[in-house]
Amino acid sequence: MLGDIAGYGRTLVAFSGGVDSSVVVAAAARALGRERVIAVTAVSPAVPAAEVEFAGEFCASLGVEHRLLRTDEMAVAGYRENGPTRCYFCKSTLLDTVAELAEHEHFDSIAVGTNASDLAAGFRPGIRAAAERGVRTPLADAGLDKAAVREVARAWSLNTWDKPAAACLSSRIAYGLTITPARLSRVEEAERELRRVLTPHGVRDLRVRDLGDSVRVEVDARLVGQARSDEEVRRTVERAGFGSTPMVVEPFRSGSMNDMLADPDRWRHA
């Protein structure tokens, strides 16, 4: 991987703060030198503020320059309408914005954290957007799957090696529900405050899913019973902006919203 990256030239890395893109940032710094790499993190209502802050701290620890780049995916109808290809419009907006910066400052390459598991996952519209724009995917090119990426992060002593996955907030909104800043904000607040409530119980994976007529809280399977019986969990979700919306608690499943894709009538009327 490092040998391939060494040929990229000056590189911008689209850095979400997650383990995959953190390994790309670290690898680029090793292969190219820190002065030839800039990590870029999107700032938008769909990106949790905690992730933006973490990204800055991570880059500082490596001595890599970090830029915040405001994106405006909310202005794109295909994103707001929140159909099955929402991620395509989101990733397109991000990468087009990064490309403008790359052109303005004469960078040679743009790299992202797509790994080999992502390529094998099936329905991933965001990957198509990246492929259309010719961005670099060093992890996937090296055949590194999710587990292998974490092993690299651990071997390099990166503090992301065991960091839980943290997809953008729009992935918490059921297909067919219009994405708005208010919807994203209440999900962000609910997740932040629920993590505070459940941290004493060792919570790792946590999602708040806005289903329109209900809200689904997903936590580690061992904590489902605790979360169901804890009245503070219910009150926390209510205070975040969900009010009296019916709530269920289920085990965390990455990508669980994609279950709706098998039933078009369900997501179109969510």
Side-chain angles (χ1 to χ4, degrees):
M1 175 175 64
L2 295 181
D4 287 342
I5 294 175
Y8 283 9
R10 293 184 71 231
T11 299
L12 286 175
V13 179
F15 180 39
S16 67
V19 60
D20 297 324
S21 53
S22 76
V23 169
V24 175
V25 172
R30 287 171 177 238
L32 298 167
R34 291 174 295 183
E35 70 284 353
R36 303 187 74 203
V37 179
I38 292 180
V40 180
T41 300
V43 177
S44 87
V47 181
E51 292 300 306
V52 175
E53 181 180 358
F54 177 89
E57 293 170 351
F58 177 85
C59 290
S61 73
L62 295 183
V64 171
E65 183 177 350
H66 183 233
R67 301 268 189 98
L68 301 181
L69 201 59
R70 190 163 297 279
T71 58
D72 191 18
E73 57 267 32
M74 206 69 69
V76 180
Y79 172 82
R80 291 194 312 273
E81 292 165 359
N82 195 21
T85 57
R86 176 200 65 238
C87 288
Y88 174 85
F89 297 103
C90 183
K91 184 72 83 173
S92 296
T93 300
L94 168 64
L95 293 177
D96 288 346
T97 306
V98 174
E100 291 177 7
L101 176 61
E103 181 177 5
H104 180 69
E105 300 198 12
H106 308 292
F107 279 82
D108 302 300
S109 300
I110 297 169
V112 296
T114 302
N115 63 50
S117 298
D118 296 328
L119 296 184
F123 186 71
R124 289 294 179 89
I127 291 178
R128 176 164 63 91
E132 289 175 355
R133 287 156 178 79
V135 303
R136 305 279 193 160
T137 55
L139 305 178
D141 293 346
L144 297 175
D145 62 12
K146 289 185 182 298
V149 171
R150 289 194 181 274
E151 283 305 310
V152 171
R154 186 173 189 176
W156 289 355
S157 299
L158 303 181
N159 65 352
T160 56
W161 76 268
D162 64 344
K163 187 172 186 275
C168 78
L169 293 171
S170 58
S171 69
R172 276 57 149 190
I173 313 299
Y175 292 117
L177 292 178
T178 301
I179 294 178
T180 66
R183 281 191 183 279
L184 297 171
S185 178
R186 69 180 185 175
V187 166
E188 180 178 11
E189 181 177 349
E191 289 191 357
R192 182 183 65 245
E193 293 305 307
L194 280 178
R195 188 166 292 280
R196 178 185 57 79
V197 169
L198 294 172
T199 288
H201 304 287
V203 68
R204 175 178 171 81
D205 289 308
L206 169 67
R207 294 287 188 275
V208 174
R209 313 283 194 186
D210 183 347
L211 306 181
D213 57 358
S214 64
V215 56
R216 184 169 74 229
V217 174
E218 296 181 10
V219 295
D220 310 291
R222 63 183 178 80
L223 293 180
V224 169
Q226 171 70 34
R228 284 175 177 167
S229 62
D230 191 338
E231 279 302 310
E232 184 60 19
V233 169
R234 170 73 260 183
R235 289 193 294 268
T236 296
V237 173
E238 289 176 352
R239 288 194 297 264
F242 286 94
S244 59
T245 304
M247 186 191 83
V248 298
V249 179
E250 294 183 2
F252 168 77
R253 286 191 301 120
S254 179
S256 62
M257 288 300 212
N258 287 342
D259 292 351
M260 299 179 72
L261 298 179
D263 184 356
D265 287 334
R266 182 181 173 200
W267 72 257
R268 285 175 185 149
H269 298 94

